[in-house]
Amino acid sequence: AQTVTQSQPEMSVQEAETVTLSCTYDTSESDYYLFWYKQPPSRQMILVIRQEAYKQQNATENRFSVNFQKAAKSFSLKISDSQLGDAAMYFCAYRRRPGSQGNLIFGKGTKLSVKP
Amino acid sequence: DTGVSQDPRHKITKRGQNVTFRCDPISEHNRLYWYRQTLGQGPEFLTYFQNEAQLEKSRLLSDRFSAERPKGSFSTLEIQRTEQGDSAMYLCASSLGSGTDTQYFGPGTRLTVL
């Protein structure tokens, strides 16, 4: 069975600085998708960034980028120029390739605090 | 707003009562998922629908839980004879069912069982 591990329950970053959130996963499959979702306090979960396993190039979305190391089964999220609005729970998630069971498998999350 | 909506946002009930939650997915999305999230944990998969067909159920979905998606549009999740352990956030997500098939989440229904 696939598992997702986020080893940092909490992280803190100074406004305008850079922070990296870690995620490792376990799977025997070669084709899959990885996601980072953000869940602000009392607000709904939103997609931050996604990575397709067959793509070697790391995904980027504005201030958010990932370091995808397929052999190491590592998928970290880097947030540059951190803003107060980045404070939230961040969840790493895994999903098998389309055509199969499509549910997401989540890690336990990392709570990110941003200090002004 | 054409995002995923859920109703109610909060539900407080007494142990033993039945509750029903509703999810309205993004209109063109044919896949719909239910997850449960307890405090300090990531969401856990409960069940999913492809159009009106319920294709997968987690072992977390006990016999007291039932989900439907009539006509492949909105979905309902019913919990019968609620227990205190059912207290959680129930999240609904929908996806297009093609490409990277990204799931978009609703705001959730927070259930408190007294």
Side-chain angles (χ1 to χ4, degrees):
Chain A
Q2 295 85 13
T3 58
V4 177
T5 302
Q6 294 179 250
S7 58
Q8 305 154 316
E10 296 188 25
M11 291 284 285
S12 180
V13 64
Q14 204 73 31
E15 194 176 7
E17 297 291 303
T18 296
V19 65
T20 298
L21 308 184
S22 301
C23 172
T24 58
Y25 58 94
D26 188 26
T27 183
S28 59
E29 300 180 346
S30 60
D31 193 10
Y32 48 86
Y33 297 86
L34 296 165
F35 303 84
W36 279 98
Y37 280 89
K38 169 185 177 181
Q39 189 175 42
S42 301
R43 294 180 61 186
Q44 70 196 77
M45 194 169 306
I46 57 175
L47 177 69
V48 175
I49 198 166
R50 62 184 167 221
Q51 175 80 41
E52 295 153 77
Y54 66 86
K55 289 186 177 179
Q56 293 187 346
Q57 187 172 6
N58 289 325
T60 62
E61 287 287 344
N62 301 313
R63 298 183 294 107
F64 299 88
S65 61
V66 299
N67 184 3
F68 174 48
Q69 300 290 327
K70 191 172 184 180
K73 297 180 182 175
S74 171
F75 183 61
S76 60
L77 174 69
K78 185 171 81 171
I79 306 173
S80 304
D81 185 24
S82 297
Q83 301 176 359
L84 295 178
D86 295 333
M89 284 292 292
Y90 286 81
F91 292 97
C92 178
Y94 167 100
R95 184 172 61 77
R96 295 172 68 182
R97 63 185 301 274
S100 60
Q101 182 178 336
N103 60 284
L104 293 165
I105 299 169
F106 287 89
K108 290 189 175 183
T110 296
K111 183 179 181 180
L112 179 66
S113 302
V114 181
K115 298 179 180 178
Chain B
D1 183 67
T2 57
V4 179
S5 61
Q6 293 186 245
D7 185 68
R9 296 291 305 275
H10 303 273
K11 179 70 177 179
I12 300 174
T13 191
K14 293 182 179 179
R15 189 175 53 187
Q17 297 295 304
N18 299 343
V19 295
T20 300
F21 311 141
R22 176 178 171 129
C23 170
D24 286 89
I26 294 171
S27 59
E28 65 268 26
H29 285 186
N30 55 40
R31 287 189 175 184
L32 186 148
Y33 302 80
W34 285 98
Y35 293 85
R36 181 172 69 185
Q37 185 179 21
T38 53
L39 201 60
Q41 302 292 320
E44 295 175 293
F45 169 72
L46 292 178
T47 188
Y48 102 96
F49 293 84
Q50 173 88 25
N51 299 312
E52 67 275 10
Q54 189 175 17
L55 297 186
E56 188 73 27
K57 291 194 290 187
S58 162
R59 63 181 183 276
L60 292 176
L61 211 67
S62 75
D63 292 344
R64 297 184 296 107
F65 288 68
S66 62
E68 293 182 344
R69 193 183 181 196
K71 302 179 182 178
S73 55
F74 70 92
S75 176
T76 58
L77 178 67
E78 181 183 15
I79 309 174
Q80 295 182 328
R81 304 181 303 281
T82 52
E83 302 173 355
Q84 288 186 327
D86 297 330
S87 296
M89 175 76 84
Y90 289 84
L91 297 170
C92 176
S94 70
S95 69
L96 199 53
S98 62
T100 52
D101 203 27
T102 298
Q103 293 179 28
Y104 296 88
F105 284 81
T109 295
R110 181 167 294 283
L111 173 66
T112 301
V113 182
L114 302 176

